[in-house]
Amino acid sequence: MMKKITFIFVFAFFSVALFAQNSNILMTVGDKKITEEEFSYIYKKNNSDNLTKQSLDEYLELFKKFKLKVIEAENLKMDTSAAFINELNGYRNQLAKPYLTENIKIEQLVKEAYERNKEEIKLDIIFIKLSKNASPEDTTLAYQKAVKIRDRILGGEKFEKVATETSDDRAVAKNKGHLSYLPALRIPYSIQNYVFKAKKDKVSLPLRTAYGYYLVKVVDKRPAQGFYKVAHIMISSTDQMKDDEKAAKKEKIDSIYNRILSGDKFEDLVKFSDDRGTAKKGGELPEFNTGKMVPEFEKAAFALKNPGDIGKPIKTAFGWHIIKLIDKRPPDSFEKQKEDIKKSIEKDAERKEIVKAFVISELKSEYNFKKLNNPDEIYKLVDSTVFEGKWKMPDNILSNKTLFTIGNSYFKESDFGKFIETKQKRTVKAETKSYVDQMYQDFIYESLTEVEKSKLEDKYSDFKFLMQEYHDGMLLFDLMKNEIWDKASNDSTGLKKFYDNNKGKYDNQIDVDISVFKYEDTKTYKEAEMLLNKSRKKYNDEKLIETIGDKLEITESGVFSKGENIYADKIIKMKKNGKLIENQRIVNLAKENTFIYINNTKKSKSKSFQQIKGVVISDYQTYLEEKWIKDLQKKYKITVNEKVLNNIKKTLK
């Protein structure tokens, strides 16, 4: 599959969808007309740094051959097979995502989350648990309960006392309703919307989330603290220990800290740490930011200002810690955070509902949505088995009214019933009508989205071009596999005959002795280049890596003939085409952060057919393809409108 995807992208530059029918026709291949716009678009897309008359002529010849193959594949009906259609649809679903209306809202939410994540919030909360699919009656009772709890606090009772007595938060006995600082993304969205507008120390009205109601008080806000890298020495101590044990642990940590104050190195004292996992690494912990460590540890670490600073012993539920700051860095940029934020948003139930509501609102108007009936029959049919994921839609129902239309498409009650049957899963039991109402909104959302997907080619020309690229690339891969690659590999008689007829060609092959290096950045490459030019004898592969360090690695080395190594093939081709400067030893492939060092080149010794079979197969494939292209040229007549071609050339150098 990866080979096919790579092949699609290699050949994608030859393909684009047809433009308006009244455009000038540049070329006709068989009965296919190719417009000036089609060719100009794809030519300029892939030759943006070399728009010349010469490159245009060269590209035109490649384009002709490409179109011959695509038209042959289409005439063979290769794009009508179920396997081809399913695979193309799989790609289409992936490629469609950035173009869908839902992506507009997701991008808005991503930017909003990034801005909010610049702050960290400290909250007091009281939680009243309520099922997502709770009945209206249960919802009202939970809301009234939350209001009464709020009234107690407004009446003068201490927040800690009320929280301990009433909150359904499992941690309330320990935290008394007080949370530590949290990044925005770790706060439910509906609560975020309150806290980023709220005044400090004011208790909110009940805020509904997917889990229940929250009463929220904003205690403090601060800038995001960024990322910290620390090491620690830990002496374990728990509340369950006897007093004399606790005292001994405290005495031990104080003793270690006093040795640090006296000049002993932190690294030498890590051996006394009870955290054996980190003691082997100098006490180093993984990098962390707000919310990843227990509050006491986090507070002490964030108080350290400069790398090398060491704090006084602090106590957590795990024991005593002496913390040393190794490094700290600011929060990540938007580009670096973007994908993680997006994943977080796509998993968030509340934001999903916001996205759905936005999509429904936008697409209802765009695609002429008309509501005709309510799903009354489905309300009657769905029972409690749906919460076990076992409900079955009857084959025949008394009523099968049309619920709504989208354009010229009709969506009936039976369609909705099948949707529920397909999408149901085990969930907490709730009121059936509320569940059906939620599923109905999902049904409308998915129906509108599918209609939108079907019209993307009409709506976005670049999506149309992209889909055509995948279509043609997949066709070309399958056709080349059938007509060239498999034939060359499986035709042992033809292959041997080709070798015998061209034996002399393989007697004077070039062998290259190369070392291939991967470097981290330009500075590393320049350092390696300088050392190698200074003395290759002194800086052999091993010594070069040792001198520069882990910013440079050797990926492969050895003596290769044509067809045995892609980097060796590059050197052989450059040498054959006269593109290697005399005595040139280094070829830098800057786009790959890779350079090739040429240790030696020489004519290879005569090799048997078996030794160079891979090279012969490659050459045989080229021979078969050239012969095949000639047959296609006879089969499909190609005509070029020189006047239109000259119009394109007038815009070039």
Side-chain angles (χ1 to χ4, degrees), residues 246-278:
K246 292 178 185 177
K249 298 289 186 178
K250 178 68 168 69
E251 184 178 340
K252 186 174 182 180
I253 198 74
D254 287 341
S255 172
I256 294 170
Y257 184 65
N258 287 330
R259 288 182 63 176
I260 292 172
L261 294 178
S262 299
D264 284 6
K265 289 185 177 180
F266 180 96
E267 292 74 17
D268 294 336
L269 299 172
V270 168
K271 62 187 176 184
F272 296 113
S273 178
D274 288 337
D275 184 353
R276 304 316 302 165
T278 62

Side-chain angles (χ1 to χ4, degrees), residues 121-380:
I121 317 295
K122 187 173 176 60
L123 300 174
D124 286 348
I125 67 157
I126 294 173
F127 173 53
I128 296 88
K129 189 175 181 181
L130 182 67
S131 168
K132 177 183 175 182
N133 297 318
S135 66
E137 293 79 11
D138 289 341
T139 302
T140 300
L141 288 172
Y143 181 85
Q144 291 172 345
K145 179 182 176 182
V147 170
K148 288 178 182 178
I149 293 170
R150 180 175 183 266
D151 288 342
R152 286 177 61 182
I153 298 168
L154 297 180
E157 289 191 61
K158 288 190 175 182
F159 189 95
E160 293 87 343
K161 176 177 181 293
V162 177
T164 304
E165 292 175 359
T166 64
S167 182
D168 292 325
D169 181 9
R170 286 180 294 182
V172 69
K174 185 177 180 181
N175 65 25
K176 313 298 182 188
H178 305 309
L179 303 183
S180 56
Y181 284 96
L182 291 170
L185 282 177
R186 295 193 62 193
I187 300 172
Y189 187 65
S190 54
I191 296 177
Q192 277 184 45
N193 289 337
Y194 170 77
V195 301
F196 277 93
K197 297 175 183 176
K199 294 179 180 178
K200 286 185 182 179
D201 299 323
K202 182 180 177 182
V203 180
S204 71
L205 287 166
L207 302 172
R208 182 72 159 101
T209 73
Y211 310 102
Y213 282 107
Y214 283 86
L215 297 173
V216 176
K217 181 170 72 171
V218 177
V219 178
D220 193 24
K221 297 180 182 179
R222 72 182 184 192
Q225 298 298 288
F227 294 86
Y228 281 69
K229 177 78 174 173
V230 305
H232 78 144
I233 298 170
M234 185 186 88
I235 302 302
S236 59
S237 178
T238 65
D239 292 340
Q240 288 71 40
M241 288 180 174
K242 295 178 181 178
D243 288 345
D244 57 341
E245 287 181 293
K246 292 178 185 177
K249 298 289 186 178
K250 178 68 168 69
E251 184 178 340
K252 186 174 182 180
I253 198 74
D254 287 341
S255 172
I256 294 170
Y257 184 65
N258 287 330
R259 288 182 63 176
I260 292 172
L261 294 178
S262 299
D264 284 6
K265 289 185 177 180
F266 180 96
E267 292 74 17
D268 294 336
L269 299 172
V270 168
K271 62 187 176 184
F272 296 113
S273 178
D274 288 337
D275 184 353
R276 304 316 302 165
T278 62
K280 299 173 185 176
K281 305 171 187 175
E284 286 191 20
L285 290 162
E287 185 183 64
F288 62 91
N289 59 352
T290 299
K292 297 294 175 66
M293 296 291 188
V294 293
E296 303 89 348
F297 190 96
E298 187 180 273
K299 182 178 179 181
F302 289 172
L304 300 173
K305 301 299 180 186
N306 302 304
D309 287 355
I310 299 173
K312 294 179 180 179
I314 58 108
K315 181 77 167 62
T316 73
F318 302 101
W320 291 95
H321 308 261
I322 298 171
I323 304 171
K324 177 182 178 179
L325 179 62
I326 298 172
D327 194 19
K328 63 179 181 179
R329 62 182 180 87
D332 289 331
S333 66
F334 175 72
E335 286 306 316
K336 200 165 182 180
Q337 289 190 54
K338 185 177 179 181
E339 284 308 310
D340 286 339
I341 293 175
K342 192 171 183 179
K343 288 175 185 175
S344 176
I345 285 172
E346 287 172 344
K347 291 178 183 176
D348 179 19
E350 287 188 77
R351 286 187 179 91
K352 277 184 181 178
E353 294 306 315
I354 290 169
V355 170
K356 284 178 185 176
F358 176 80
V359 169
I360 290 171
S361 174
E362 291 291 308
L363 297 187
K364 273 185 174 180
S365 173
E366 184 171 353
Y367 296 117
N368 194 25
F369 175 96
K370 290 182 180 177
K371 178 184 175 182
L372 300 178
N373 292 289
N374 291 321
D376 298 319
E377 191 70 16
I378 303 302
Y379 286 132
K380 297 174 187 175

